[in-house]
Each structure stands twice: as C-alpha cells, then as structure tokens.
Amino acid sequence: MRQETKCIQAGYTPANGDPRMIPIIQSTTFKYDTSEDMGRLFDLEAEGYFYTRLQNPTNDMVAAKIAALEGGTAAMLTSSGQAASFFAVFNLAGAGDHVISSASIYGGTYNLFNVTMRRMGIDFTFVDPDCSDEELEAAFRPNTKAVFGETIANPALTVFDIERFAAAAHAHGVPLIVDNTFATPINCRPIEWGADIVTHSTTKYMDGHDTAVGGCIVDGGKFDWMAHADKFPGLTTPDESYHGIVYAEKFGMGGAYITKATAQLMRDLGSIQAPMNAFFLNLGLESLAVRMQRHCENAQKVAEFLQANDKVAWVTYPGLPGDRYHERAKKYMPNGTCGVISFGVKGGRAAAEEFMKHLQVAIIATHVADAHTCVLHPANSTHRQMSDEELIAAGVGPDLIRLSVGIENCDDIIEDLAQALAFV
Ligand SMILES: *Cc1c(COP(=O)(O)O)cnc(C)c1O
C-alpha cells in the first residue's frame, strides 16, 4: 500500500460483518474463561488484553496504522507527545546514563530533558544540529544511550540532518530517536534515513482538528540490542518483574523495545491514550495525506507573499529557495515540509502586537499544525518571562511571529494577513 492508502486502510482489516471503522473499545478490562489464560497474559506468554492502563485494542489498531505509515515494526500510543518523548528516552536510559540531543527542539522537550529528566539522574548534552563532526564526536561518552533530534524543529524550523546523526549514533552503538511531529510520515520517513525510533505529538497534524492531545512511539525494528548488550541491560538481561524474560531474546529486534515500554513503563507510569482519543486520532489520520499536501501548498504561497511584502522584515520557511535549510529540506522532504512559518514585521515587538490584533481568519492560539490557521507571539506567551536580549539569544526574537498555515482557502489567509499588515 502507498501512504495515501495506508492512511485509510492500515492497522485494521474488518472481517466478514465487522464494523468498517476502527471500533472504540471503551472498556477498562477484558474477560477470560480461566485463571490460567489470564496468567499467560501476565507472563507475556500469550498476546491479549487484560487492563487498559497497559494496552487497549483501539489504541493498538491506530498505532499499527502509524507504524505502517512510518515503516516501523511496532508502535504504541501515549497520552501526549510529552509522554512519548519521555518514554522513548526513559525506555533506554536511567540514572547515571547520558543522552545527546539536538539543541533545536520543541521547548517542552527541552524542559523535560534539561530539568525533569536531569532530576532523575540522566545527563544531557545539547549540540547545535549544524555543529562540526568534531563537536558531535566529542559529545559521546561511554554511558551515552541515545541521540535525539527533531525532523523540523518547532518553532525554529531547523531541518535535522537525520543521516548524519544516525551514522554518528550507530558508530557509538546507540539508537537515533527522531521526533517527526512537524513533517509527519507523509513528508518524511526518518526510519528510511537511519533513525531507529520515531516519536510524535499526534496532537498536531495527525489529529489535525484541535480535538485530542496524544503521542506515539514507533520502533523501526533495525537496532540490534543484543549486539550492544552491555549498553542496554534493560532489554538484554532478565526482567525480574516478568519471571526473568529477556525482551531482546523473546521479542526480537522488531518487538523488544515497544514490548518493554508497554510492559514496564505503561504498567508502572500509566500515560496511555484514551481509546476515545485514539478514535479521533484515527479520523485525523484518514485525511492526513491530503491535508499535508494542502498545508504545504498554502504555506508556500503564504511564505512567498510575506517575503514580497515590504512591512515584513524576514521570513523563515524551508520551502523558500533562499532559506538556510532549503537544500536539506529538498533532500529529506521533496514533497514539502509543513505548514508552519516564522516571520518578523518591521517595527519589532510593538508592530507584531499591532499586526496580530487585526487578524480575523488567523486566530491567536497556543497551538500549531492543525486545520485552522493560527498565530502565536512567543515573546508575549510561551517565552514571556524572557528579556529581549534573552529572546534574541534563544533564537526567538521579540518580533518573531509563529504562523501555522491551515487548510482554508489560501486567498482568504493572504487577504487577512495583508489587511492586518496595513495597520503596521
Ligand atoms: C507539541 C509538541 C510536542 C509535545 O506534544 P504534546 O502532545 O503537546 O504533549 C513534542 N514535540 C513537538 C515537535 C511538538 O510540536
């Protein structure tokens, strides 16, 4: 199946007389005939469901669709993108371990790594995604357990060199984790470029309609845990909480990572996506391919309009030929990148505020990447506590406006921007 068909058909094949849509299995628990049947599930000896804190059939069908779209072997849904990022790393690294991350990542992920996971005893080194080979090499330590990056960073719109970071990670015997939220598997499939694990905030384009917060983790199934057994004892030595199962032996390269994350992390920490939310997510996935195409078409036109407008100081969009990441974007995302643009209006912070006040089609919202065009002024919201000097140092200047171009008629979006720019 091609991507457009997988969006509709993957993950669930109804049998004779079954519902056509993935059904919502709104049940916390599941019935068995004997205690022995139940026991085999608890020992991971049989496949099946017993309690929705760990696994639910609706979630698994939707996760299987995302795994098919990404070209992975196994996947799980989480309650949010934050939970996906946390589980993806925590499934490999614990106290005393170290992780390398691109410095150009979503702010929420940066806080999770740099504050909360440090408090759990995991150390992080943040590297410039365009650093020299020497700098990248120097970041690795004997206790490094993973490398992390974002295909298109939110909101900096840096394009991550997946192949380069995958090669460096593999040379040190560790997997590359890529957050593919902004590109989606419609525009980029990181596993094909060497990534081992892919994460998503499904809250964004995948859901696409402002309906449900959620996340997903996909395993590419290509990382050989046993070949680096000393680095990943959680996967390669017996788990006493499951009668001594060795995940990498019992479930192989294709299944070990997600089985461990389900059996240990979901069991102990919860954070599963509600089946109802998984149903909404599936509705979004069905139209993901057509929506992404339209988001990219609209964003390209809007970026070109902004670039040509004399009230606009600068525009960052990887689809623009002059953009710093244009060539890399063409390599990894030949069909388009995403619908998010950042730009500044002449006159700085005050001009940005004036401009946004007059928008009518584009709404002001702390959100990106869905059907509705929306704008955010980070200096007045997500980055409000920072001084102008700190904002510039963080690459989020006081004039920066993040514009998430939706799938409305593009002429309406451009006319709205034009009338609001006239007030600046
Ligand atoms: C929003 C976002 C997240 C966090 O996802 P939530 O669903 O809000 O928890 C992670 N990564 C990226 C790139 C995001 O845009």
Side-chain angles (χ1 to χ4, degrees):
M1 280 193 271
R2 293 169 179 80
Q3 294 295 81
E4 294 81 353
T5 313
K6 285 183 208 159
C7 282
I8 313 284
Q9 308 239 350
Y12 170 60
T13 310
N16 196 33
D18 275 355
R20 180 61 200 91
M21 266 315 259
I22 291 180
I24 307 171
I25 310 292
Q26 193 71 36
S27 183
T28 56
T29 192
F30 301 82
K31 175 254 175 195
Y32 287 93
D33 289 340
T34 68
S35 293
E36 286 73 30
D37 289 341
M38 187 73 94
R40 291 217 309 282
L41 294 175
F42 270 83
D43 286 349
L44 302 179
E45 288 297 335
E47 273 187 46
Y49 298 91
F50 52 93
Y51 191 51
T52 288
R53 183 186 350 107
L54 286 91
Q55 264 186 302
N56 174 281
T58 305
N59 291 26
D60 283 354
M61 290 183 261
V62 179
K65 177 178 281 189
I66 298 174
L69 284 165
E70 287 288 4
T73 54
M76 71 197 290
L77 299 188
T78 56
S79 55
S80 67
Q82 286 299 102
S85 303
F86 173 55
F87 277 21
V89 174
F90 196 59
N91 203 33
L92 299 172
D97 289 336
H98 170 255
V99 172
I100 297 170
S101 173
S102 163
S104 192
I105 52 173
Y106 173 64
T109 314
Y110 183 78
N111 275 332
L112 167 69
F113 290 172
N114 195 44
V115 180
T116 301
M117 290 183 79
R118 271 195 207 280
R119 287 212 320 255
M120 304 170 91
I122 304 170
D123 203 1
F124 286 83
T125 299
F126 294 94
V127 295
D128 182 331
D130 298 309
C131 68
S132 69
D133 288 343
E134 293 68 35
E135 282 171 286
L136 181 54
E137 199 55 29
F140 284 91
R141 302 182 196 164
N143 60 341
T144 302
K145 296 298 162 77
V147 178
F148 186 96
E150 220 169 285
T151 315
I152 310 171
N154 172 12
L157 303 178
T158 8
V159 176
F160 190 56
D161 195 346
I162 303 170
E163 259 187 332
R164 174 181 176 224
F165 278 76
H170 296 160
H172 289 271
V174 300
L176 175 67
I177 305 172
V178 172
D179 179 338
N180 198 33
T181 297
F182 267 24
T184 82
I186 300 306
N187 286 339
C188 182
R189 304 218 305 170
I191 292 166
E192 287 175 355
W193 296 103
D196 301 286
I197 291 140
V198 170
T199 60
H200 282 280
S201 165
T202 61
T203 319
K204 312 296 164 54
Y205 289 119
M206 284 192 167
D207 169 79
H209 298 81
D210 283 348
T211 329
V213 171
C216 183
I217 308 174
V218 182
D219 181 7
K222 291 184 195 162
F223 194 85
D224 189 351
W225 308 107
M226 279 316 221
H228 308 283
D230 54 323
K231 275 193 191 291
F232 302 103
L235 285 149
T236 61
T237 62
D239 178 354
E240 295 315 327
S241 67
Y242 283 104
H243 307 296
I245 274 181
V246 176
Y247 292 100
E249 278 175 357
K250 191 164 174 62
F251 301 100
M253 279 162 59
Y257 177 86
I258 293 292
T259 305
K260 175 179 180 289
T262 303
Q264 290 180 344
L265 302 184
M266 275 304 180
R267 179 195 62 187
D268 296 350
L269 301 170
S271 314
I272 200 162
Q273 191 166 125
M276 179 76 87
N277 283 4
F279 177 83
F280 288 131
L281 167 58
N282 181 57
L283 286 181
L285 289 170
E286 292 206 345
S287 62
L288 183 65
V290 269
R291 285 188 292 107
M292 286 314 289
Q293 192 182 351
R294 176 65 169 261
H295 276 293
C296 292
E297 271 170 29
N298 278 1
Q300 186 69 33
K301 286 185 205 156
V302 168
E304 286 166 11
F305 160 79
L306 289 170
Q307 202 174 38
N309 189 291
D310 60 8
K311 300 282 180 70
V312 174
W314 56 272
V315 184
T316 298
Y317 183 65
L320 290 175
D323 189 85
R324 181 168 173 207
Y325 293 102
H326 185 64
E327 291 307 316
R328 195 179 290 164
K330 275 205 300 201
K331 169 179 166 178
Y332 288 107
M333 292 165 273
N335 298 326
T337 52
C338 66
V340 183
I341 297 170
S342 62
F343 69 101
V345 287
K346 289 177 185 163
R349 181 193 281 267
E353 286 169 11
E354 186 63 22
F355 160 73
M356 286 176 64
K357 202 158 67 186
H358 296 283
L359 289 169
Q360 286 164 8
V361 174
I363 55 148
I364 297 175
T366 314
H367 194 44
V368 276
D370 76 86
H372 316 85
T373 295
C374 59
V375 279
L376 183 73
H377 187 206
N380 259 329
S381 54
T382 49
H383 295 63
R384 194 176 173 82
Q385 71 288 356
M386 290 180 163
S387 68
D388 283 7
E389 291 69 36
E390 285 172 328
L391 286 169
I392 290 162
V396 186
D399 65 337
L400 185 144
I401 297 166
R402 187 181 70 184
L403 170 65
S404 177
V405 180
I407 56 174
E408 300 93 341
N409 186 304
C410 198
D411 293 342
D412 288 329
I413 301 169
I414 289 176
E415 281 170 21
D416 187 38
L417 296 169
Q419 64 81 22
L421 280 168
F423 287 93
V424 175

